[in-house]
Amino acid sequence: MSTVTTANYLNYINGEWIESNSNETIESINPAAPSEIVGVIQSSTTDDLDKAVEAAKHAQKPWRNLSGAQRGEILYKVAGLMEERLEEIAECATKEMGKTLAETKGETKRGIAILKYYAGEGMRKVGDVIPSTDNEALMFTTRVPLGVVGVITPWNFPVAIPIWKVAPALIYGNTVVIKPASESAVTFAKIAQCFADAGLPKGVLNMVTGSGAVVGGGIAKHPDIKGITFTGSNAVGKSIAHEAMKRGVKYQLEMGGKNPVIVAKDADLELAVDAVIKGAFLSTGQKCTATSRVIVEEAVYDRFVEKLVIETKKITIGSGLHASSWMGPCASESQYKNVLQAIQTGVSDGAKLLLGGKPYEDKESGGYFVEPTIFEVADQEIAIAREEIFGPVIALIKVSSLESAVEVANDSAYGLSASIFTQNITRMLKFVQEMEAGLIRINAESAGVELQAPFGGMKESSSHSREQGEAAKEFFTSIKTVFVKG
Ligand SMILES: NC(=O)c1ccc[n+]([C@@H]2O[C@H](COP(=O)([O-])OP(=O)(O)OC[C@H]3O[C@@H](n4cnc5c(N)ncnc54)[C@H](O)[C@@H]3O)[C@@H](O)[C@H]2O)c1
Ligand SMILES: O=C[C@H](O)CS(=O)(=O)O
């Protein structure tokens, strides 16, 4: 029997908090203590979505007609309010999806920094003057917003990912309808409140919560939504792309990964072990850039594995609210079951289980905890070496040379993030050149996206645009080339 511990969270449409006309709700559960309901959100309908899109459409022209500096001023105010409410937002994120308070505080600070970065973008140039072949003419480029943008976000970064989409969308003059993942929608409701309290004009930002198929699918199909930015699984991303292409609207997808780390024979093994543990098990492995394959040159394989197992055994598991916990639960029951199923598949496919592989029983809480799990894989064709698990599971692969390591690393449908540990500059440069991934990190964990740099994947990890930094401008605006003759 679950007990409601907090309020009913409403949709934010046209500057007001309103209930869905479905009169149905979804419970956001604490995965570390599933009997606890963090909040109750709206299970919205396409009618609710239509209201939100209408509000966004109505607000778009006045919003676009503000100067970038004026739009930026509001983003700075949102950042300030989030700073004041940092503890509340971070604690809510930890309760909703499980990652530790240290991680959610860091993520909330990251969201604040992203808001400030894009607030500043409101004062930066948007085009270029290009010399015309006609010496009496002036030719230049400028940029215009897309209009109403649909934002669909996952649960694993409930603060950073919505903000790294919403902030650039708004600063470049678009208005937004966002559907956050239901597993972390209460967290975004608190962020939307910061936008409301910062004086954002009504209709500029609208949040509609609910099922992906209904509300997310409705965003993909809506005729008045002129751009869709999505982060989530490949299956869902491809369905959104299909709908967007049918309507001829811009779309942006950032999706799954199966991120390799190569440990070369000249690697600093202590550094590599520390980075693999952080990259694979922080956030319970629920990062798109998380380490899931570790490819080790045979010359150092046994020493590396011995150190890795010893250090992994030190990981403390528990509620993310407890300072003693280094790793929290899987974010939901379904994620928990998916991870345990993947582990079972690994065992039945013949992978050698070196550590973990079982639920971490916490009888008091009944939380969705899984032990950090390390497999040794001889056959790279098996599922745990190929498919994204999005949990605390790594596959170790032994290779005879760096050439072979890069071949194995590239042998994946995904191309999001990749790291190498070596102290040889030639090997580093060869890796940079030959590794098919959008994020390349040298002597550092595979996770770690910096807000000021372009971020996105290659191959099936992405629709091949880039998010964050100046790159966001390319998606959230259209370029106009202007030729002026007196
Ligand atoms: N590349 C990146 O930057 C990045 C970052 C974080 C997570 N991810 C990926 O996201 C996945 C985990 O997140 P998730 O479980 O929330 O993914 P998901 O695809 O299940 O859901 C993502 C969002 O899409 C919505 N959705 C679900 N079905 C939909 C549909 N039919 N139409 C439209 N929207 C729909 C969901 O409600 C949610 O808001 C992993 O694959 C992970 O790799 C990628
Ligand atoms: O899931 C999103 C990315 O993994 C963010 S980061 O690489 O962990 O910063």
Side-chain angles (χ1 to χ4, degrees):
M1 173 68 180
S2 17
T3 52
V4 179
T5 55
T6 46
N8 188 354
Y9 287 83
L10 307 180
N11 287 330
Y12 182 63
I13 298 175
N14 203 29
E16 294 179 24
W17 294 96
I18 55 177
E19 285 192 348
S20 162
N21 63 12
S22 73
N23 296 316
E24 291 174 17
T25 57
I26 298 168
E27 293 175 342
S28 178
I29 302 292
N30 179 346
S35 64
E36 180 190 333
I37 298 169
V38 182
V40 176
I41 60 169
Q42 304 303 299
S43 181
S44 304
T45 66
T46 49
D47 289 347
D48 300 307
L49 178 63
D50 288 344
K51 283 188 197 126
V53 175
E54 187 55 31
K57 200 175 161 188
H58 186 71
Q60 206 266 323
K61 201 164 183 180
W63 178 246
R64 182 189 73 188
N65 290 340
L66 293 178
S67 69
Q70 289 169 312
R71 294 194 292 265
E73 277 310 309
I74 294 175
L75 296 192
Y76 280 124
K77 285 179 185 166
V78 177
L81 288 168
M82 282 189 64
E83 277 164 341
E84 291 171 17
R85 303 173 190 176
L86 188 143
E87 297 285 337
E88 175 195 352
I89 293 167
E91 184 176 311
C92 182
T94 291
K95 283 183 174 178
E96 278 206 290
M97 56 72 60
K99 72 171 109 170
T100 63
L101 210 46
E103 289 176 274
T104 53
K105 285 181 180 175
E107 183 186 342
T108 305
K109 288 173 185 169
R110 179 175 171 189
I112 291 163
I114 292 168
L115 280 163
K116 291 178 179 175
Y117 177 90
Y118 284 109
E121 273 293 284
M123 299 278 277
R124 293 192 185 92
K125 75 166 189 146
V126 292
D128 298 296
V129 176
I130 301 163
S132 165
T133 52
D134 178 338
N135 67 351
E136 293 174 350
L138 167 66
M139 186 161 66
F140 64 93
T141 60
T142 186
R143 289 175 180 269
V144 293
L146 305 181
V148 177
V149 169
V151 178
I152 305 172
T153 54
W155 43 260
N156 70 322
F157 277 83
V159 179
I161 292 180
I163 289 181
W164 88 39
K165 293 174 182 288
V166 169
L170 296 182
I171 198 64
Y172 296 126
N174 302 282
T175 52
V176 168
V177 176
I178 181 169
K179 191 216 85 71
S182 299
E183 297 86 342
S184 56
V186 174
T187 300
F188 192 77
K190 293 179 180 291
I191 294 169
Q193 187 65 63
C194 292
F195 277 91
D197 295 347
L200 191 71
K202 66 182 185 179
V204 172
L205 172 67
N206 305 274
M207 178 189 78
V208 180
T209 59
S211 93
V214 173
V215 182
I219 285 174
K221 295 184 178 80
H222 203 291
D224 291 331
I225 286 184
K226 302 304 181 189
I228 304 160
T229 177
F230 166 83
T231 294
S233 63
N234 284 60
V236 174
K238 286 175 180 172
S239 71
I240 290 170
H242 182 70
E243 290 300 335
M245 283 171 71
K246 277 199 296 190
R247 300 198 292 114
V249 296
K250 217 170 176 181
Y251 64 91
Q252 172 181 58
L253 314 173
E254 288 306 328
M255 299 174 286
K258 192 66 182 180
N259 309 303
V261 166
I262 293 176
V263 180
K265 61 188 175 186
D266 66 328
D268 174 333
L269 293 186
E270 278 71 26
L271 178 68
V273 164
D274 180 62
V276 163
I277 287 172
K278 286 175 180 168
F281 302 128
L282 275 175
S283 289
T284 321
Q286 298 167 134
K287 296 180 179 180
C288 61
T289 52
T291 301
S292 53
R293 293 183 290 153
V294 184
I295 304 162
V296 186
E297 282 196 85
E298 61 189 359
V300 294
Y301 184 83
D302 292 342
R303 279 190 294 136
F304 173 80
V305 172
E306 183 187 7
K307 290 176 187 292
L308 179 67
V309 169
I310 289 168
E311 292 307 313
T312 303
K313 283 178 178 174
K314 296 176 184 173
I315 288 176
T316 52
I317 302 169
S319 164
L321 293 174
H322 301 159
S324 58
S325 304
W326 190 90
M327 187 173 89
C330 296
S332 64
E333 184 178 21
S334 63
Q335 199 59 27
Y336 172 71
K337 288 178 176 174
N338 290 345
V339 171
L340 292 175
Q341 181 55 57
I343 291 170
Q344 282 313 308
T345 303
V347 172
S348 56
D349 285 348
K352 183 179 175 187
L353 185 59
L354 299 184
L355 188 71
K358 298 190 300 298
Y360 176 81
E361 299 290 350
D362 179 338
K363 290 193 176 23
E364 190 183 320
S365 69
Y368 304 130
F369 301 103
V370 175
E371 296 172 338
T373 298
I374 301 175
F375 278 103
E376 186 172 78
V377 171
D379 173 6
Q380 296 133 42
E381 293 309 313
I382 65 174
I384 56 163
R386 290 219 162 270
E387 295 169 14
E388 180 180 61
I389 296 169
F390 221 53
V393 181
I394 50 178
L396 294 174
I397 301 166
K398 187 193 306 186
V399 293
S400 58
S401 67
L402 181 64
E403 289 67 26
S404 167
V406 175
E407 262 177 50
V408 168
N410 278 329
D411 181 14
S412 169
Y414 297 108
L416 187 50
S417 172
S419 296
I420 186 170
F421 287 82
T422 177
Q423 297 170 71
N424 177 305
I425 189 73
T426 306
R427 288 170 155 232
M428 287 179 200
L429 297 176
K430 179 180 174 64
F431 181 72
V432 169
Q433 192 63 33
E434 294 181 2
M435 184 64 222
E436 297 158 2
L439 181 63
I440 301 286
R441 290 169 60 87
I442 310 289
N443 294 325
E445 65 173 279
S446 62
V449 177
E450 294 204 32
L451 66 95
Q452 68 277 26
F455 172 62
M458 296 170 78
K459 302 197 275 188
E460 293 190 32
S461 292
S462 169
S463 59
H464 312 296
S465 64
R466 287 291 179 264
E467 297 194 279
Q468 303 199 61
E470 288 185 10
K473 189 163 44 182
E474 300 308 325
F475 177 75
F476 290 109
T477 65
S478 294
I479 294 176
K480 285 185 175 178
T481 297
V482 183
F483 176 90
V484 182
K485 187 127 182 183

